[in-house]
Amino acid sequence: MDKNDLIEQWFLRYGDDIYKFLVYYTGSRDVDDLVQDVFLKALGSIDSFQGRSQPKTWLLTIARHTAIDHARKKRLRSWLPDMWLSHLASDEKTPEEQLDLQEEQQALYRAIQQVKPAYREVLILRGIKGLSAKETAEILQWSENKVNVTLHRAMKAVRDKLELAGKELIGNVI
C-alpha cells in the first residue's frame, strides 16, 4: 500500500480521535491545524513506523509532541520581539502604550544582545524563527537536549537582564 494511501486511511480511521485528544490536551477547539500537522509529520516519518505499536498509539504520540511544541512556541512568542511588533501594529493602543511597548522592545533587544552567543542563537532560532528543537539541533550541531537546556538558561538570562535594566531605570528616575 502506498504511504499516502496508508496515511489517508489512518486519517479517516483515527482523525476524530486525534482531534479530540488535541482538544482536551490544549484546552481549545481550534486544533484543526495541529491535526493536519500530526498527519503531515506521520507521512514524513512513516518509514520509521515499525508496527510494534498500533497506528493509533503512534499517531497519539505524534499528536502529544505536536501539542507540546505548539505550546512552547506560543509561550516563547508571548514575550519575544515578533509578538511585540504585532502589538505595536495594533491601532487599539494609545500613543503612550505604543511608546512603552517600543521601550520594552528595545530593552529586550539589548538584553538578547548582552547574553552569550550560544544563548542568542537558540533564542533566535527557537523563539523568533519558531524552529523545533530538532531543527535547531541540526543547525547548531547539538543534541535536542542541549538545545532545550540552553533555551531554558537563555530565557532566564534574558529575564535577569530585563529585571536588572528595570531596576536601573527606576534608580535613574529617583
Side-chain angles (χ1 to χ4, degrees):
M1 180 179 283
D2 179 279
K3 294 178 193 180
N4 291 333
D5 292 339
L6 184 59
I7 294 297
E8 183 178 348
Q9 183 182 28
W10 287 354
F11 178 78
L12 294 172
R13 186 176 296 158
Y14 305 117
D16 194 47
D17 293 325
I18 300 300
Y19 175 84
K20 289 176 183 174
F21 171 81
L22 289 168
V23 166
Y24 284 107
Y25 198 92
T26 64
S28 170
R29 289 190 162 283
D30 187 23
V31 295
D32 292 329
D33 289 341
L34 291 177
V35 172
Q36 180 180 351
D37 287 348
V38 168
F39 285 95
L40 287 172
K41 288 177 183 180
L43 180 61
S45 59
I46 188 74
D47 294 332
S48 69
F49 179 70
Q50 299 172 352
R52 285 190 234 159
S53 64
Q54 294 296 319
K56 181 178 176 180
T57 306
W58 186 65
L59 291 168
L60 285 169
T61 301
I62 294 171
R64 179 179 170 268
H65 289 287
T66 301
I68 289 169
D69 287 345
H70 176 74
R72 284 182 186 146
K73 286 178 185 176
K74 191 175 175 182
R75 186 177 67 241
L76 282 171
R77 288 190 177 132
S78 71
W79 68 274
L80 285 170
D82 285 352
M83 191 58 143
W84 285 4
L85 286 172
S86 69
H87 289 312
L88 289 175
S90 172
D91 293 333
E92 300 172 16
K93 303 280 184 218
T94 66
E96 292 83 11
E97 290 172 327
Q98 289 183 355
L99 182 61
D100 287 344
L101 284 173
Q102 285 176 336
E103 289 173 359
E104 289 175 9
Q105 180 184 10
Q106 289 173 357
L108 180 61
Y109 279 126
R110 280 192 301 273
I112 289 173
Q113 291 304 313
Q114 291 174 0
V115 298
K116 62 186 188 177
Y119 288 1
R120 191 168 40 253
E121 290 171 342
V122 170
L123 284 169
I124 291 168
L125 293 172
R126 292 278 288 132
I128 297 173
K129 293 299 181 190
L131 298 179
S132 69
K134 183 178 181 178
E135 292 167 326
T136 303
E138 288 175 19
I139 290 169
L140 298 176
Q141 297 179 340
W142 293 352
S143 69
E144 286 184 52
N145 187 49
K146 182 176 179 178
V147 168
N148 292 329
V149 169
T150 304
L151 177 63
H152 176 74
R153 291 177 180 165
M155 289 171 60
K156 183 183 181 325
V158 167
R159 270 192 223 107
D160 291 348
K161 298 236 181 257
L162 288 171
E163 287 175 11
L164 182 61
K167 289 177 186 174
E168 288 175 6
L169 288 174
I170 292 170
N172 290 338
V173 172
I174 295 176

